[in-house]
Amino acid sequence: MVAEGVVTVKRQTPLSSRSWISIDATGKRTVLDEDKYAIMQRVQIHARDLRILDPNLCYPSTILGRERAIVVNLEHIKAIITSQEVLIRDSSDVNLIPVLEEFQRRLPVVQGDAEAGEEDESPFEFRALEVALEAICSLLAARTMELETSAYPALDELTSKISSRNLERVRKLKSAMTRLTARVQKVRDELEQLLDDDDDMADIYLSRKLADVSSSINVSNEPLWYPTSPTIGSKFSRASRMSWDDEIDVEELEMLLEAYFMQIDNTLNKLTALHEYIDDTEDYINIQLDNHRNQLIQLELMLSSGTICVSMYSMIAGIFGMRIPNTWNEDHGYVFKWVVSLTGTFCVVLFVIILSYARFKGLVGF
């Protein structure tokens, strides 16, 4: 008997693991369907560097300078920048669409004023890196502004009315603020670490390294070649930097990174101010709750004091209300008035004494 309806299923490789978008110096956009080994050979980077850009893995924000490429992992922007093109992961993130358009618009060399004869002399890798930094800083700044717009009114409403709905709303906003702060902090730390190390910034000068290697090889009348191994390339990069001046000139890149470092630091300061405002609101709410708790304690003290006095009055009334034959119960009806009056007066005086003592000790505030 032959089985019917048998379907052969072929496992397909996810598109995100092979699909890349290439944008060259002219702004031309090309979709590449290559595996990781072809990409590694194309840009001369290690497998561990390419693994940082895997969208299925979670790596912190990173900017790495290699011999012939810059590995950029900034949130949704996962790119490899060379001196001639930018390779970007074809992600389904909607935030990546305007970034691709910005790459296409700004990567081509923009001619300056025709009369002045000026043009944009920034290296290709700097223009690409600037687009990536501007995109991520603008995105985080916009998220921070949205959070501020929602958080401050919610906190003010909570201070005016403490309710479960307002508390839950503030709790969600605080969780969102914590996650956003962590994202901003990672980008800021990466930029700060890059600014603190001149050698790391020198690794990002791809055009300068290629020009330096080309000139040194032409002087020695040897053919121009590029290292096929990233390890050899790293050694070659260090050797080429030794031919530079004693003080590595990274002023152009340093100014670029400092501009976006100040922007991301300003975003972090806004989040820090929001965090402090939330802490101040929590302290204010705790003070209010403590005040209400103290008022309840004062009320409990007053009720307890009144209960003691009434209990004493009830005890005396119970004693005189016993049906026990006694000689003083006979022909002494006027005693009832004195017992009731004196007992009531004694209880009231005792109540006043207790409250006065509590006020003297600072237990009540009235």
Side-chain angles (χ1 to χ4, degrees):
M1 181 176 180
V2 180
E4 298 180 356
V6 178
V7 179
T8 302
V9 179
K10 182 180 180 181
R11 179 176 298 179
Q12 297 181 353
T13 303
L15 183 63
S16 62
S17 63
R18 294 177 59 89
S19 182
W20 292 77
I21 297 177
S22 172
I23 303 177
D24 58 15
T26 62
K28 182 181 179 181
R29 177 173 170 179
T30 307
V31 178
L32 304 177
D33 189 13
E34 298 182 356
D35 58 9
K36 62 180 181 180
Y37 301 104
I39 296 296
M40 290 166 54
Q41 185 68 22
R42 184 186 183 101
V43 298
Q44 292 299 320
I45 60 175
H46 288 285
R48 64 173 180 269
D49 296 333
L50 188 61
R51 196 175 298 116
I52 295 176
L53 305 180
D54 192 341
N56 298 322
L57 302 177
C58 182
Y59 280 92
S61 297
T62 307
I63 300 176
L64 300 176
R66 294 298 182 249
E67 172 59 23
R68 295 178 58 187
I70 304 171
V71 181
V72 178
N73 178 31
L74 297 174
E75 297 284 333
H76 58 282
I77 304 176
K78 301 179 182 298
I80 301 175
I81 303 174
T82 67
S83 60
Q84 298 176 347
E85 66 176 349
V86 179
L87 298 177
I88 307 171
R89 280 282 190 181
D90 187 9
S91 175
S92 59
D93 195 338
V94 295
N95 295 320
L96 191 60
I97 297 177
V99 179
L100 296 176
E101 297 175 353
E102 195 68 13
F103 272 121
Q104 290 182 276
R105 186 180 68 86
R106 296 177 58 178
L107 286 184
V109 177
V110 180
Q111 297 296 329
D113 190 356
E115 298 180 357
E118 297 178 354
E119 63 178 10
D120 187 2
E121 298 181 354
S122 297
F124 174 84
E125 60 270 18
F126 284 9
R127 299 198 302 272
L129 182 61
E130 183 177 5
V131 171
L133 290 175
E134 182 178 349
I136 192 62
C137 290
S138 300
L139 176 65
L140 294 177
R143 294 289 183 269
T144 302
M145 185 175 298
E146 293 175 1
L147 184 61
E148 287 179 330
T149 305
S150 302
Y152 284 113
L155 293 171
D156 294 338
E157 185 178 355
L158 180 61
T159 55
S160 61
K161 181 181 180 181
I162 302 175
S163 63
S164 300
R165 175 178 172 273
N166 292 336
L167 287 172
E168 179 64 19
R169 182 183 177 188
V170 171
R171 184 192 67 82
K172 293 180 180 179
L173 289 172
K174 186 176 182 180
S175 300
M177 184 206 64
T178 302
R179 293 192 297 268
L180 183 59
T181 302
R183 294 168 57 188
V184 174
Q185 185 69 49
K186 290 178 183 178
V187 177
R188 181 189 180 278
D189 291 344
E190 180 61 26
L191 292 179
E192 184 178 16
Q193 181 180 358
L194 196 59
L195 284 169
D196 290 340
D197 196 330
D198 289 346
D199 290 336
D200 289 343
M201 286 191 288
D203 286 334
I204 298 179
Y205 279 81
L206 303 180
S207 301
R208 179 188 294 180
K209 288 190 293 185
L210 290 177
D212 186 74
V213 171
S214 177
S215 61
S216 61
I217 293 179
N218 289 336
V219 169
S220 60
N221 294 324
E222 295 181 1
L224 179 62
W225 63 280
Y226 295 104
T228 58
S229 171
T231 304
I232 298 176
S234 300
K235 295 179 180 179
F236 201 76
S237 174
R238 289 192 294 268
S240 64
R241 284 205 303 269
M242 293 175 62
S243 62
W244 295 0
D245 298 333
D246 294 338
E247 182 179 356
I248 302 176
D249 183 15
V250 292
E251 182 179 358
E252 183 179 359
L253 178 60
E254 188 174 8
M255 292 176 61
L256 173 65
L257 295 177
E258 282 181 352
Y260 291 101
F261 175 79
M262 293 177 62
Q263 182 176 350
I264 199 69
D265 188 61
N266 183 44
T267 302
L268 183 61
N269 290 336
K270 291 181 179 179
L271 291 172
T272 303
L274 179 59
H275 187 273
E276 293 177 353
Y277 192 83
I278 292 177
D279 290 341
D280 294 341
T281 303
E282 290 178 348
D283 293 340
Y284 176 75
I285 292 174
N286 290 331
I287 292 173
Q288 280 189 329
L289 294 177
D290 291 340
N291 184 38
H292 292 162
R293 192 178 299 111
N294 292 335
Q295 291 178 356
L296 291 176
I297 293 175
Q298 294 178 10
L299 179 61
E300 183 181 4
L301 177 60
M302 294 178 61
L303 293 177
S304 300
S305 302
T307 302
I308 293 175
C309 297
V310 172
S311 298
M312 295 182 62
Y313 190 88
S314 300
M315 180 187 67
I316 296 176
I319 293 174
F320 281 91
M322 294 180 180
R323 301 182 62 82
I324 300 176
N326 292 307
T327 55
W328 55 270
N329 281 339
E330 299 176 358
D331 299 331
H332 295 85
Y334 61 93
V335 176
F336 175 78
K337 299 178 181 180
W338 288 102
V339 170
V340 172
S341 302
L342 293 176
T343 304
T345 303
F346 174 76
C347 292
V348 171
V349 172
L350 179 61
F351 181 74
V352 172
I353 292 175
I354 294 175
L355 293 183
S356 300
Y357 179 78
R359 183 178 181 182
F360 175 75
K361 290 295 184 180
L363 301 178
V364 293
F366 54 85

